[in-house]
Amino acid sequence: MQQIKWGILSTAGIARKQMVPAIKEAGNTMLHAVASESGKAADTAAEWGASVHHDSYEALLNDPDVDAVYIPLPNALHKEWVIKAMHHGKHVLVEKPAAVTSDDIREIREAGKETGMTWMEGFMYQFHPQHSYVKELIEKGTVGAVQKMRATFSFPLDLTSSNIRLDSSLGGGSLYDVGCYCVHACRHIIGQEPEAVVGTGRKQSGTGVDISTSALLTFQDIDAVIDCSFNESSLNRYEVSGTKGRIEVPFAFRPDQNPDNGEGLVIVRDENGRETERKTFAGNQFTLQIEHFSQCLIDGTQPVYTPESTHNNMKVIEAVYASQEQI
């Protein structure tokens, strides 16, 4: 099988913990190069098992052996380096959010069309099989006509730290960091775009970033409620409520946090709240994501997650933030 040679821009923790193991596990990928501008490239390449290291991002983009790059830089730097990478002839998988405004996403889309390179925003969770099963249940009418969806993603963050999630200049904030998953999940599972958005949130004094955000998304015939926070205990779940019951996905975005087995879990309840089904789903969502994207590059096909959908997700996020400012 043909293998896509990957390069990674930066030594970010998510790359070390999640993406490097995924590249090694996938059958159609190999880790070729890593770049760092902090003098750690050589040590990181040795630790990660990369064949080559580069001491600047530009040098990696000039490496002729790199087919595609993974970009886990701070949010505010995504647009610059995604566009640069594509103009250097590299395909791109960029961490979510792909940029911090819909105008930025539009520029990335234009660069993709201009260069002919393929790019995708890294919402890895959507490739986990538990979500396709939820959609099957909905389509079969298992819970009747869907009326509402609720999605939550929160975790405790040291709000006195210098974490980049608390830096507004780098695209910090709970909605950008974890709430974006909730927005995406509602759009993905419901299969529509919201017609109206109302949001509220709490900002940290000094930094100005939202440490918690809640919003109501009104779709054509379904309502969705999302909430996210840096100031609550860890929770990553969604549930879909219908006229005949509900579907619960208690480890929607991080199935590895399931303390029983690290697997995805889908629970179905009837209209009285009685459990009628409980099913687990195995799979490394990071591996499934990079396998899908790499296979699209090999086959010359488009990923299932499109630039248009990325653009629409950011427009909803912008609408939530705009609504906050009006309160």
Side-chain angles (χ1 to χ4, degrees):
M1 177 184 291
Q2 183 179 342
Q3 289 187 317
I4 298 298
K5 293 182 178 180
W6 282 87
I8 298 179
L9 293 190
S10 92
T11 58
I14 190 172
R16 175 178 57 83
K17 296 175 184 177
Q18 306 289 1
M19 193 56 67
V20 170
I23 291 173
K24 292 180 177 179
E25 184 179 13
N28 56 2
T29 62
M30 65 171 293
L31 178 58
H32 174 71
V34 60
S36 172
E37 298 190 334
S38 62
K40 299 179 180 178
D43 290 342
T44 302
E47 177 190 347
W48 292 0
S51 304
V52 176
H53 72 273
H54 296 286
D55 292 322
S56 74
Y57 301 151
E58 288 279 359
L60 187 146
L61 297 185
N62 284 317
D63 186 333
D65 292 324
V66 171
D67 301 311
V69 295
Y70 169 61
I71 300 179
L73 296 168
N75 298 337
L77 301 181
H78 287 175
K79 182 188 79 168
E80 173 188 357
W81 288 101
V82 171
I83 291 175
K84 281 185 177 180
M86 290 194 290
H87 278 288
H88 279 76
K90 311 302 182 188
H91 303 289
V92 180
L93 176 63
V94 56
E95 264 307 317
K96 55 77 211 164
V100 292
T101 69
S102 59
D103 283 343
D104 287 349
I105 301 294
R106 178 182 50 78
E107 289 185 43
I108 293 173
R109 292 180 69 183
E110 290 174 354
K113 294 175 182 177
E114 179 183 346
T115 61
M117 295 293 104
T118 299
W119 67 279
M120 188 177 79
E121 184 180 32
F123 275 110
M124 76 298 174
Y125 88 94
Q126 66 186 307
F127 294 93
H128 198 281
Q130 62 182 341
H131 308 294
S132 58
Y133 186 64
V134 169
K135 299 190 81 168
E136 286 179 25
L137 292 172
I138 293 172
E139 290 169 4
K140 290 192 300 183
T142 301
V143 294
V146 173
Q147 302 297 304
K148 183 169 287 185
M149 181 169 174
R150 301 175 179 87
T152 299
F153 201 167
S154 63
F155 68 96
L157 179 66
D158 180 358
L159 299 181
T160 65
S161 70
S162 58
N163 193 294
I164 61 171
R165 295 176 176 88
L166 301 175
D167 189 334
S168 59
S169 68
L170 294 177
S174 66
L175 181 57
Y176 278 142
D177 190 59
V178 286
C180 60
Y181 285 97
C182 302
V183 171
H184 186 280
C186 292
R187 296 176 49 254
H188 177 59
I189 297 300
I190 294 172
Q192 301 173 12
E193 299 297 341
E195 299 177 344
V197 174
V198 178
T200 186
R202 295 187 181 274
K203 291 186 177 181
Q204 185 183 44
S205 60
T207 66
V209 304
D210 62 297
I211 58 173
S212 66
T213 284
S214 301
L216 172 65
L217 313 182
T218 302
F219 294 82
Q220 181 177 357
D221 46 12
I222 300 170
D223 293 326
V225 178
I226 70 163
D227 64 88
C228 58
S229 179
F230 288 156
N231 205 25
E232 298 176 29
S233 58
S234 294
L235 194 63
N236 71 101
R237 62 176 288 124
Y238 67 72
E239 65 176 49
V240 180
S241 299
T243 54
K244 296 181 181 180
R246 70 178 184 269
I247 304 165
E248 300 174 356
V249 187
F251 305 99
F253 311 114
R254 292 289 307 275
D256 59 300
Q257 291 186 351
N258 183 341
D260 293 334
N261 50 27
E263 296 183 348
L265 174 63
V266 175
I267 301 168
V268 181
R269 299 186 186 275
D270 65 17
E271 58 268 37
N272 296 311
R274 290 188 295 257
E275 184 178 312
T276 59
E277 182 180 352
R278 175 180 290 254
K279 191 170 183 179
T280 58
F281 297 82
N284 183 325
Q285 54 196 13
F286 287 92
T287 302
L288 294 170
Q289 173 183 246
I290 203 160
E291 279 184 333
H292 170 75
F293 187 74
S294 297
Q295 197 58 46
C296 288
L297 301 184
I298 292 168
D299 297 338
T301 57
Q302 288 298 311
V304 293
Y305 184 42
T306 65
E308 179 184 11
S309 187
T310 294
H311 197 183
N312 289 340
N313 208 67
M314 181 51 62
K315 287 192 286 187
V316 176
I317 292 170
E318 281 184 324
V320 174
Y321 274 133
S323 181
Q324 287 181 359
E325 296 301 321
Q326 295 173 6
I327 296 175

